[in-house]
């Protein structure tokens, strides 16, 4: 095809689609050229597209035949829809089910509706997130059962990422967060913590490791996880529903997040952690990141004076989180 005057690259095909009067945004496409037996073969890939059916709004001519507005063409097995017909009712039904995610499992649909951040309302009186277009989707936030909470909390729980997050560096309340559909429990999230006497709210971070040395640990959350999707959804729904912004009501949350790495995906986390061997030390990390991670005696004494539950390890964990976050930020800017 190297001498074919109709040959087009990805950008040219994308531009062609963009200038058609289509019923929706065109799908993502890619054109790749392969050499087979000394000849160039172009392969057009059309990526999976949910906003189907896609059709023209205005009449067009193609190879001497007219295509009418609203006509839907499909290919089933090796059979195309004739140019003087449109797709059958059963095929159209299948396409619209795909558009509205009615062909997905409840877990896939829940993931989708949770990504529609502006379509939820926070109902403060019921501590509940409600999906505006289908109230069967809702997320309950309930205090942990008093007996279980009593067995878990001993005058407050202490986590390194709480250091310098506010006036009081401990957990006072655990909340159970559950995704519901009608009366059915679909998904349990991690605990939602109230800390700093109600001035902070955050989904429970996880403990990460750079090697297996207990000193080389830190806390993290992953954006592409149910926990972070809930946290993002809660913040937007709160801001859309309440008179005071989330960061004003829970002003101890942003300082706590500074002590936590926020990964884009599990793959990104694995790429970071797999760089380090079993016997990695804090000194090795300082060399790698070209930053001070080991706290000074004065820094340790300062936080111990503030709260004796904390010490060197808490500061090391937070310093590791900060250097990892800084490197991720710089890498993303370069990419």
């Amino acid at each position: 095809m190297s001498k074919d005057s109709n040959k087009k690259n990805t950008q040219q095909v994308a531009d062609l689609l963009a200038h058609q009067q289509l019923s929706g945004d065109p799908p993502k496409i890619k054109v790749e050229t392969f050499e087979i037996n000394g000849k160039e073969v172009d392969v057009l890939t059309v990526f999976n597209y949910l906003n189907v059916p896609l059709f023209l709004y205005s009449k067009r001519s193609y190879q001497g035949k007219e295509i009418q507005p609203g006509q839907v063409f499909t290919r089933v097995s090796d059979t195309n829809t004739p140019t003087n017909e449109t797709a059958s009712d059963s095929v159209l039904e299948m396409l619209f089910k795909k558009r509205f995610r009615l062909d997905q499992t409840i877990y896939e649909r829940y993931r989708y509706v949770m990504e529609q951040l502006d379509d939820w309302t926070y109902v403060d009186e019921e501590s509940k997130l409600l999906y505006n277009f289908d109230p069967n989707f809702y997320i309950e936030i309930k205090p942990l059962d008093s007996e279980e909470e009593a067995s878990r909390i001993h005058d407050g729980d202490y986590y390194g990422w709480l250091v310098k997050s506010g006036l009081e560096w401990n957990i006072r309340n655990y909340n159970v967060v559950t995704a519901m559909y009608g009366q059915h429990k679909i998904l349990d999230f991690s605990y939602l913590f109230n800390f700093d006497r109600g001035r902070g709210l955050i989904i429970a971070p996880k403990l990460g490791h750079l090697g297996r040395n207990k000193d080389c640990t830190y806390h993290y959350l992953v954006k592409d996880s149910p926990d972070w999707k809930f946290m993002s959804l809660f913040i937007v729904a709160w801001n859309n529903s309440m008179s005071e912004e989330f960061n004003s009501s829970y002003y101890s949350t942003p300082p706590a997040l500074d002590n936590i790495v926020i990964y884009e995906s599990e793959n990104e986390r694995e790429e970071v952690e797999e760089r380090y061997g079993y016997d990695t030390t804090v000194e090795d990390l300082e060399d790698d990141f070209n930053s001070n991670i080991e706290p000074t005696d004065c820094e340790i004494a300062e936080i111990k004076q503030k709260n004796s539950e904390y010490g060197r390890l808490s500061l090391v964990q937070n310093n590791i989180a900060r250097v990892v976050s800084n490197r991720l930020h710089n890498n993303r800017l370069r990419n």
Side-chain angles (χ1 to χ4, degrees), residues 189-205:
F189 301 92
S190 296
Y191 288 124
L192 184 65
F193 291 150
N194 280 107
F195 63 95
D196 195 25
R197 295 187 180 180
R199 291 167 291 215
L201 188 75
I202 195 171
I203 201 77

Side-chain angles (χ1 to χ4, degrees), residues 83-110:
T83 54
N84 62 341
E85 297 179 15
T86 192
S88 67
D89 181 69
S90 60
V91 171
L92 288 174
E93 179 182 358
M94 180 180 65
L95 292 173
F96 276 110
K97 279 185 176 179
K98 181 176 182 178
R99 174 187 282 257
F100 297 118
R101 280 73 174 176
L102 297 178
D103 60 344
Q104 296 180 348
T105 68
I106 185 62
Y107 306 101
E108 292 170 324
R109 289 181 65 197
Y110 230 112

Side-chain angles (χ1 to χ4, degrees), residues 138-150:
Y138 61 97
I139 300 175
E140 291 182 327
I141 304 169
K142 293 183 177 180
L144 190 64
D145 175 82
S146 57
E147 290 186 7
E148 189 174 354
E149 187 171 83

